[in-house]
Structure formats: structure tokens, C-alpha cells
Amino acid sequence: INFYFPLLNVPFGLLFNSICFYIFKKSRKLNRTSIRFYNMALLCVGNIALINSVLSIQFLPSIGINFLNQHIWCKILSFFKQLIDQLFSWIYVLIIIDRFFSVINYSKFKYLSQKKFLILFLIITILFISLINSIHFMDQIEIFKNGKFISQE
């Protein structure tokens, strides 16, 4: 069940995320709003997380391609997984900050809803999370092989 459930669950998640993305893209009421941008970013990150989980953990190892056996790929996948997982939470924090400033005084903080600023804010957030998660490239990895742990640097 651990193998087949995600293989059935992920296509539905991709489909429904894509439908929500299409709805936000075509919505005229939300056009040029920051909430639309952040929700579309969440949907994109969700699709990337779903594809990453199926490819790196289930599908590729089942056909004999296992990145986790190679030291550098293990670190890259660990970094990428942490980045995607934390990006969900930080996008919600950005939404809360955006809503807070729009409630306080919308006219004073109108620049916060400009697309250039939103993209810049999202890129800065991704860089910040990447910096925090760069520790994954410096730590040791212990691999369980033949009933014992083998330490690699």
C-alpha cells in the first residue's frame, strides 16, 4: 500500500492543483492581486513536491535508478526536499504579512501588490531558505547497508 497509494494519489493531486491554478489564472476578480500570485506559487510548489516525491522516492528506484546510493545526489535531494517542504510554510507567512499590511493601510503599502515586488520577495524567501538548508551539504550521511551503518562524508 505504501507504494501504490502515492502512485494513485499523486495524479489526482497534480490534476486538482492544475485545475486550481487554471481557476486562479482566469479569475478576473483576483487579477493583479497579491493573493492570486501567492496562491499560484503555492500550487506550483505543490506540484513540484508531488512530482519530486514520486520520482525520487518511488518511481526511479523501482526501475533501478536510485539516486540515494550516490552521495552527492542524496545531499541534493535532501536539500531540495527540505526547501520545498519549508517553502509551503514561508509562502503562508508571506500571505499573512501581505494581508496584515493591506489591512493596516492599503494606500501606504500599495507597492506590496506590484508583481515585481512579489517576485523579488519570493526569490529572497527562496534564497533565505536555501541558505538555512545549505547545512545539508556539510553534514555526514549514514547509509544502512547489509545490516550496518556505513558513514560517508
Side-chain angles (χ1 to χ4, degrees):
I1 193 159
N2 288 338
F3 181 76
Y4 293 109
F5 179 72
L7 287 179
L8 296 174
N9 192 24
V10 169
F12 287 114
L14 290 172
L15 174 69
F16 293 132
N17 276 350
S18 300
I19 289 171
C20 288
F21 187 85
Y22 179 77
I23 290 169
F24 276 111
K25 185 85 173 147
K26 294 295 180 181
S27 175
R28 292 182 192 266
K29 288 183 180 179
L30 295 175
N31 198 12
R32 295 185 181 172
T33 61
S34 59
I35 203 74
R36 174 184 176 222
F37 176 81
Y38 288 128
N39 279 317
M40 288 175 68
L42 274 173
L43 293 169
C44 289
V45 169
N47 280 343
I48 291 170
L50 287 171
I51 290 170
N52 180 45
S53 68
V54 168
L55 284 180
S56 66
I57 297 171
Q58 290 178 325
F59 180 68
L60 292 178
S62 71
I63 60 171
I65 302 171
N66 193 356
F67 289 121
L68 298 179
N69 287 340
Q70 300 168 356
H71 181 63
I72 189 67
W73 281 109
C74 186
K75 287 187 176 191
I76 290 171
L77 287 175
S78 176
F79 169 79
F80 187 70
K81 182 185 177 313
Q82 289 294 322
L83 178 73
I84 294 298
D85 289 346
Q86 292 175 8
L87 195 55
F88 276 113
S89 302
W90 281 101
I91 290 176
Y92 282 120
V93 170
L94 294 177
I95 290 173
I96 291 168
I97 291 169
D98 177 68
R99 295 294 93 196
F100 174 74
F101 284 121
S102 67
V103 167
I104 291 215
N105 190 353
Y106 179 73
S107 61
K108 189 174 181 181
F109 299 105
K110 198 169 187 175
Y111 66 91
L112 289 175
S113 63
Q114 294 176 352
K115 194 170 186 175
K116 286 184 221 176
F117 182 78
L118 295 174
I119 292 171
L120 178 68
F121 211 43
L122 189 60
I123 289 172
I124 290 171
T125 303
I126 291 170
L127 290 174
F128 176 71
I129 297 170
S130 297
L131 181 67
I132 290 173
N133 288 317
S134 65
I135 192 76
H136 288 287
F137 293 111
M138 295 174 233
D139 60 353
Q140 267 187 318
I141 295 178
E142 292 185 354
I143 297 175
F144 190 72
K145 214 181 228 184
N146 298 330
K148 60 182 176 179
F149 282 103
I150 299 171
S151 181
Q152 292 185 349
E153 290 185 29

